[in-house]
Amino acid sequence: MGKNTVQAKQWLEKCYGDFAPSEITIKRWSADFKRGRRDTDDAERSGCSNEAVTPENIKKIRKIILNDRKVKLCELTDMVKISKERVGFILHEHLSIRKLCSEWVSRLLTVDQKQQRVDDSEQCLAMFKRNKPEFLRRYVTMDETWIHYFTPESKRSSSEWTATGEPRPKRPKAQ
């Protein structure tokens, strides 16, 4: 259009407002057109194309994840032979899967602890049957869930792929 970079910037700001390109971009475009460029199409870029996100690759990744939820991202890339970024894109955007680490888990009770609970419950039931109003007035109950922090492996290696909205995996501590 025969304008210099300052005039082009003013014209673009007038037309596009906040969405106008920066001054550096306008200077680069101007230099490209002075060197002989005549079109405004994007130039070819190096690197992988977006052809890696195919229904076949999505099915492969889903099958691998369902078989082994502890598989690592780098292992997935080796199995499917596509880039780490594309595998991540498929997991998050197409499969709605995220990686979670298990943290707090309930602890399994030993045989003795289970028997103690049964005995205590039977005693309470006997007291309840003898004098219902007095029992209900004096007895306080609460949840006695045992919570124990246990990391069976490193936090990173114990993480699993789960669907978005799916609860965290729970693993009881082995006794």
Side-chain angles (χ1 to χ4, degrees):
M1 293 174 60
K3 298 181 187 249
N4 64 25
T5 55
V6 175
Q7 293 168 334
K9 174 134 178 75
Q10 291 171 350
W11 180 75
L12 287 168
E13 284 178 348
K14 180 179 163 191
C15 292
Y16 296 104
D18 291 339
F19 300 103
S22 68
E23 187 175 344
I24 294 171
T25 303
I26 294 169
K27 285 181 181 178
R28 185 171 31 87
W29 287 349
S30 177
D32 286 347
F33 284 111
K34 285 180 184 174
R35 280 187 295 245
R37 183 173 175 182
R38 295 288 168 230
D39 65 346
T40 57
D41 296 333
D42 286 338
E44 288 292 320
R45 296 181 185 183
S46 63
C48 295
S49 63
N50 217 1
E51 297 169 0
V53 182
T54 61
E56 295 83 31
N57 284 340
I58 294 171
K59 286 178 188 175
K60 278 185 199 175
I61 291 173
R62 179 189 305 254
K63 188 174 182 181
I64 292 168
I65 295 285
L66 291 177
N67 286 336
D68 179 15
R69 289 191 173 241
K70 288 190 175 186
V71 70
K72 296 179 177 139
L73 195 60
C74 59
E75 293 171 355
L76 277 172
T77 60
D78 292 340
M79 291 178 198
V80 185
K81 304 287 189 239
I82 60 176
S83 72
K84 187 176 175 182
E85 290 77 20
R86 292 293 93 198
V87 171
F89 179 79
I90 289 171
L91 289 170
H92 295 288
E93 300 299 322
H94 291 277
L95 299 177
S96 297
I97 291 177
R98 60 193 172 143
K99 192 108 177 189
L100 291 178
C101 298
S102 59
E103 292 177 5
W104 293 94
V105 295
S106 0
R107 185 175 181 154
L108 293 176
L109 298 175
T110 65
V111 175
D112 294 336
Q113 291 167 333
K114 289 179 184 176
Q115 186 58 48
Q116 183 64 44
R117 281 189 168 202
V118 169
D119 295 342
D120 292 344
S121 297
E122 287 174 347
Q123 285 177 352
C124 289
L125 184 59
M127 287 190 295
F128 179 77
K129 287 179 179 177
R130 272 192 308 240
N131 191 353
K132 192 186 251 185
E134 182 64 17
F135 177 85
L136 294 176
R137 187 181 70 77
R138 297 184 63 193
Y139 199 76
V140 177
T141 62
M142 66 174 63
D143 183 10
E144 292 182 356
T145 304
W146 285 33
I147 302 295
H148 179 74
Y149 186 75
F150 174 69
T151 306
E153 305 141 15
S154 70
K155 202 167 192 176
R156 177 64 73 194
S157 65
S158 71
S159 59
E160 293 182 7
W161 292 103
T162 60
T164 305
E166 190 176 306
R168 289 181 179 268
K170 295 187 179 184
R171 292 182 198 85
K173 181 177 179 180
Q175 293 284 333

